[in-house]
Amino acid sequence: MKSVYDTKEKCCGCAACKQVCPTKSISMQEDDLGYIYPVIDREQCIDCKACRKVCPLQEEVEPIKKEQICYAYVNSDEKYRLKSASSGAFEALCTAFIKEKQEYSIYGCELDNKLYAKHCSIHNINEIYKLKKSKYIQSYIDNEYTNVLKELNEGKKVIFSGTPCQVAALKKFLKKDFENLLTIDFVCHGVPNQKIFSKYIAELEKKNHAKIKKYIFRNKRKLEQWSSHGIRIELDNGKIIELEAEEDLYMTGFLNGLFNRESCYKCKFASLNRISDLTIGDFWGIDKIYPELAETKTNGTSLIIGNSIKGMQTIKRLDPDTLYLATLDDAIRENGQLRNPQEPNERRKIFLNAFRKNKKFSVCMRKAFPEKYGIRKEMIYQMKFYIELSKIKHYILDKVK
């Protein structure tokens, strides 16, 4: 075979083709922009077409045809909610599924100490902090589907969490349902690639003359910061930078749909036809249904949709005092990616053309948004800064006199 996919819109980078290939003829490689795609070694390929058959975009994946149920979830512990992107539904559901004394594995995305997003597994619920919180980068999947199948056949309980296309890929790879498997996807806005994020990180490190130890995409240091997508950056020199989303160049680009992979803008999983047992996310607009769950009171509410009997049974094991019944209409009202995929920004090509030429991340953003990040804007900002600094200096001198 020449290629697993026909066009780049028809590849989500899930790596199921790589793992299913009987001759190990497929490797996942970056294109010139950093998006990963399967590449076939034609000398080893036996043209069995297994790669095409396992692809969740080339082949149809049947949605779970059960009546769905929808809840808002609010953990009763405020400190716990502050440590979660919304309200901690992921950990609560994992704990509910594996509470029996049995060997288990939980798969999800970790941002490692090099700030690389990759799928991994944990075998102790106390390590779930690695998989919690949002990471707005496509996670790299190596042999996780193969490992999941092995553990399921050994009788272990397995929870697999990921983007809807990653869960769809796992299901195509497994070929059948397993009672000891729980799948969890989330309301996905699309995935940028690691190369773009790493370039931004490198620029920040150079600017601050220090290495970044931790980058938190959803930081809630105070009330009313759930919806603002606060950013926290921890440097190895002890410095901490806290920003709102609109102050952070990477988050600005992500929220504006500037650099998701091409398949994201045509995503067939961005709907209520889910393929996972459970769907989780932020329950935006919950205050219009339950005023007592307003952000000023909770600092975050999770959305949980039960898509299968197994998913609904898991929800029933949660503390009933943490659940608030809602409708699917309530869920999709302010969660657009439960209706359709995000539209590509008309300035996407401008950003990517600059990125392709190896321009700095800030230069790419300046070219894409000249009215916001252009040289003139930067000069005005610096002038205001020095004017304020001068005022402070004169104020101190006057006090000394």
Side-chain angles (χ1 to χ4, degrees):
M1 285 185 62
K2 290 183 178 180
S3 179
V4 178
Y5 57 92
D6 297 320
T7 65
K8 287 189 171 181
E9 289 179 353
K10 286 291 185 181
C11 176
C12 60
C14 67
C17 54
K18 169 182 173 283
Q19 293 180 62
V20 81
C21 180
T23 60
K24 307 300 179 188
S25 303
I26 298 174
S27 59
M28 302 301 293
Q29 297 180 22
E30 287 185 355
D31 67 3
D32 59 335
L33 292 168
Y35 299 101
I36 58 169
Y37 291 94
V39 175
I40 298 175
D41 182 338
R42 295 186 196 175
E43 291 185 5
Q44 292 188 62
C45 177
I46 58 174
D47 202 29
C48 65
K49 296 182 174 59
C51 53
R52 287 256 177 173
K53 293 172 185 174
V54 81
C55 176
L57 299 194
Q58 303 288 339
E59 296 288 329
E60 286 302 313
V61 184
E62 283 292 315
I64 298 172
K65 294 178 180 177
K66 296 288 180 184
E67 187 175 340
Q68 294 164 298
I69 192 163
C70 177
Y71 288 98
Y73 171 84
V74 179
N75 192 285
S76 56
D77 188 337
E78 184 182 342
K79 291 180 181 178
Y80 187 90
R81 294 197 301 272
L82 282 170
K83 293 178 181 178
S84 306
S86 51
S87 197
F90 176 63
E91 181 175 350
L93 291 165
C94 288
T95 304
F97 186 70
I98 57 156
K99 64 180 182 179
E100 299 101 357
K101 291 183 179 179
Q102 185 180 5
E103 283 191 273
Y104 62 86
S105 293
I106 304 173
Y107 288 78
C109 175
E110 173 192 21
L111 196 64
D112 68 14
N113 55 11
K114 294 182 180 178
L115 302 183
Y116 277 75
K118 62 180 185 179
H119 253 64
C120 67
S121 63
I122 63 167
H123 311 284
N124 187 323
I125 196 68
N126 293 327
E127 292 183 303
I128 202 164
Y129 66 89
K130 296 177 182 178
L131 312 182
K132 289 176 65 174
K133 292 230 175 199
S134 302
K135 296 101 177 174
Y136 298 123
I137 321 165
Q138 180 165 29
S139 63
Y140 180 76
I141 289 185
D142 189 13
N143 294 310
E144 276 67 33
Y145 305 140
T146 304
N147 296 339
V148 167
L149 179 59
K150 179 177 180 290
E151 292 183 323
L152 290 171
N153 285 328
E154 290 171 349
K156 290 182 182 179
K157 276 200 166 184
V158 176
I159 298 172
F160 184 90
S161 64
T163 60
C165 58
Q166 288 172 335
V167 175
L170 173 68
K171 290 202 162 188
K172 292 290 287 184
F173 183 87
L174 297 177
K175 296 181 182 177
K176 67 172 186 177
D177 191 26
F178 286 81
E179 192 55 38
N180 50 328
L181 170 68
L182 182 74
T183 53
I184 304 175
D185 68 23
F186 50 85
V187 182
C188 180
H189 295 258
V191 288
N193 67 54
Q194 183 68 53
K195 186 176 181 179
I196 290 174
F197 179 69
S198 294
K199 189 158 193 171
Y200 176 57
I201 291 298
E203 189 171 332
L204 282 180
E205 290 179 337
K206 188 174 181 180
K207 181 181 177 181
N208 288 282
H209 308 288
K211 285 285 183 184
I212 294 175
K213 293 194 306 179
K214 190 179 288 186
Y215 183 101
I216 301 172
F217 292 91
R218 299 284 297 276
N219 179 48
K220 294 190 290 189
R221 65 182 183 271
K222 57 186 179 182
L223 279 174
E224 297 185 70
Q225 208 174 24
W226 170 43
S227 60
S228 66
H229 291 70
I231 308 296
R232 180 183 171 95
I233 302 167
E234 298 179 11
L235 304 168
D236 65 358
N237 61 4
K239 184 179 178 181
I240 293 172
I241 302 169
E242 292 187 326
L243 305 166
E244 301 301 326
E246 64 270 15
E247 298 173 309
D248 183 87
L249 288 179
Y250 184 83
M251 281 302 294
T252 298
F254 172 73
L255 293 172
N256 280 280
L258 203 61
F259 35 65
N260 291 335
R261 64 182 296 130
E262 287 189 33
S263 60
C264 297
Y265 302 111
K266 299 286 184 181
C267 180
K268 65 181 183 181
F269 303 111
S271 73
L272 281 174
N273 293 322
R274 312 306 286 186
I275 38 73
S276 298
D277 297 303
L278 293 160
T279 295
I280 59 175
D282 297 285
F283 208 134
W284 303 121
I286 187 62
D287 56 313
K288 297 179 179 67
I289 309 154
Y290 291 101
E292 65 270 31
L293 300 186
E295 183 175 357
T296 51
K297 298 175 183 178
T298 65
N299 205 6
T301 300
S302 296
L303 166 69
I304 303 177
I305 302 176
N307 303 310
S308 70
I309 292 173
K310 194 190 305 180
M312 294 176 195
Q313 288 172 342
T314 306
I315 294 172
K316 286 180 181 178
R317 295 180 191 144
L318 300 178
D319 180 353
D321 291 337
T322 63
L323 296 170
Y324 298 78
L325 187 63
T327 68
L328 292 174
D329 285 339
D330 295 332
I332 68 173
R333 191 171 293 117
E334 294 188 30
N335 260 312
Q337 275 62 56
L338 286 174
R339 295 191 300 270
N340 45 254
Q342 187 179 39
E343 290 287 329
N345 194 301
E346 60 184 8
R347 306 182 192 205
R348 182 174 185 265
K349 287 184 179 179
I350 299 172
F351 176 91
L352 294 179
N353 283 338
F355 190 82
R356 187 180 279 112
K357 294 173 183 175
N358 203 28
K359 300 291 185 182
K360 290 199 302 183
F361 187 91
S362 58
V363 173
C364 298
M365 288 295 287
R366 189 182 300 154
K367 286 182 177 294
F369 297 102
E371 74 283 2
K372 188 171 185 179
Y373 301 115
I375 297 293
R376 188 168 179 272
K377 282 278 184 181
E378 182 68 20
M379 288 173 66
I380 291 170
Y381 173 79
Q382 289 185 8
M383 284 174 64
K384 286 182 178 179
F385 173 77
Y386 286 117
I387 289 168
E388 290 300 316
L389 199 63
S390 178
K391 286 180 181 178
I392 294 169
K393 180 182 176 181
H394 286 300
Y395 174 77
I396 293 171
L397 289 172
D398 288 341
K399 284 290 183 182
V400 172
K401 289 176 183 179

